[in-house]
Amino acid sequence: MAVSFAHLPVLADPVLESFAGLPGQPEGAGEGPGLLLDCTLGGGGHSALLLAAHPQLRLIGLDRDPSARAAAAQRLAPFGDRAVIQAANFADFTPPAPLVGVLADLGVSSPQLDEPTRGFSFRAPGPLDMRMDPDGGETAADLIDRLEESALADLIHGYGEERLSRRIARRLVAERPWAGSGRTTADLAYSVAGCFPPKARHGRIHPATRTFQALRIAVNDELGALDRLLAEAPGWLVPGGLLALISFHSLEDRRVKTAFLSDPRLERLTRKPLMASEEEEQANPRSRSAKLRVARRVA
């Protein structure tokens, strides 16, 4: 349901401030208003703010999640044909025209985490799914059942930075099959937590958090998609065009930082990432880990 995507766009003020300097089309070029790409449309929060702040702007919003697209369609309806929504993975997308800006809010959205049937969280029992696109691809349960123990351990270590990855992989393989077993995200979290010493099971972060992150990243090929975006997006931008990415964990942020430093097509505008204010953290606790980096396409 669209209403499930009613949430606050993270880092709203820093995003608006960063995009205040969007380039316009050359005078007399007759090319029409500038075109912005929102790679991760979600409920349309960032897109609505940017369209309202830039009346000359047109926007293409991408999302794999049909619930997100339905919610965004409602939120962006007042902007009419200035906003076009497409069912697409940004890793496979090529824009139809040069862009004045590209925005990506990476990772899983709050409404997806809050919906148990999507399987992203263990706060409430749900199926072991974790797919951004619920209509296709391999589920988390299928992935656990398919991988060899060593490959599963490497995945949990590499994508979750989990030091007990081998112990966890051994436990999950021993408890196969997961797919079709009726076991839930809560069962998976319980199995992972059992791999930790008793004193480590009640820390600030649940012991299954890093394993869930790793499985979600793998199921959705999130880092592969990000690498393709970082390689392709600078080429989509007009001179002076902006590329802005919001990341939520170090694996993403390191990639963005490295790309902005090493790509000769880009000039980084944020030496350090922009982060949430204390007021935003209090209003939206999930903003605490958000980091925004911005770069400009050089001529």
Side-chain angles (χ1 to χ4, degrees):
M1 295 176 61
V3 69
S4 67
F5 265 83
H7 72 298
L8 297 172
V10 70
L11 300 182
D13 289 340
V15 167
L16 285 174
E17 292 169 6
S18 297
F19 278 86
L22 278 174
Q25 296 289 3
E27 290 186 13
E31 297 181 7
L35 181 62
L36 176 73
L37 177 66
D38 187 341
C39 296
T40 51
L41 183 61
H46 287 119
S47 289
L49 290 172
L50 290 168
L51 287 168
H54 300 273
Q56 82 286 3
L57 197 66
R58 294 179 298 125
L59 180 137
I60 297 174
L62 311 178
D63 209 288
R64 288 183 279 176
D65 191 322
S67 297
R69 296 195 302 272
Q74 291 184 4
R75 193 160 191 173
L76 301 181
F79 301 100
D81 60 5
R82 290 175 58 204
V84 175
I85 299 173
Q86 296 188 19
N89 182 345
F90 61 76
D92 305 318
F93 182 77
T94 300
L99 305 171
V100 297
V102 176
L103 171 66
D105 180 0
L106 304 171
V108 64
S109 71
S110 297
Q112 289 169 326
L113 286 170
D114 292 337
E115 176 49 61
T117 62
R118 301 303 301 275
F120 289 111
S121 173
F122 44 76
R123 287 195 302 267
L128 293 172
D129 195 316
M130 302 193 191
R131 294 172 297 173
M132 298 288 190
D133 179 358
D135 297 322
E138 186 177 45
T139 68
D142 294 331
L143 180 67
I144 295 171
D145 286 347
R146 176 177 61 83
L147 291 179
E148 295 291 335
E149 180 180 319
S150 60
L152 181 58
D154 290 345
L155 183 154
I156 295 171
H157 183 268
Y159 291 166
E161 300 179 296
E162 173 55 71
R163 61 184 181 84
L164 297 183
S165 60
R166 304 216 171 275
R167 186 182 302 176
I168 293 168
R170 190 178 311 118
R171 168 74 64 88
L172 299 186
V173 168
E175 295 181 355
R176 285 174 177 170
W178 289 87
S181 67
R183 282 179 288 176
T184 68
T185 53
D187 296 316
L188 177 61
Y190 181 83
S191 292
V192 173
C195 298
F196 286 73
K199 290 184 178 180
R201 298 174 192 172
H202 305 287
R204 184 174 63 87
I205 298 176
H206 190 285
T209 298
R210 288 180 290 270
T211 296
F212 269 64
Q213 172 184 296
L215 293 171
R216 190 202 77 224
I217 289 173
V219 165
N220 297 289
D221 188 26
E222 293 178 24
L223 296 182
L226 174 58
D227 288 341
R228 289 191 288 275
L229 179 65
L230 291 169
E232 297 293 331
W236 301 339
L237 294 168
V238 301
L242 299 176
L243 175 58
L245 291 100
I246 301 173
S247 61
F248 288 86
H249 56 77
S250 59
L251 295 175
E252 294 172 338
D253 185 58
R254 283 198 295 265
R255 279 170 158 78
V256 176
K257 178 181 179 181
T258 299
F260 284 6
L261 280 171
S262 61
D263 195 319
R265 298 169 294 178
L266 296 175
E267 171 196 4
R268 65 170 179 169
L269 301 182
T270 48
R271 182 174 176 272
K272 293 184 178 181
L274 304 178
M275 302 180 68
S277 64
E278 291 184 11
E279 292 78 11
E280 181 177 1
E281 288 186 5
Q282 292 175 359
N284 182 9
R286 287 175 182 159
S287 69
R288 291 172 184 163
S289 57
K291 295 181 178 181
L292 169 65
R293 294 186 186 269
V294 187
R296 178 189 288 125
R297 173 67 195 262
V298 299

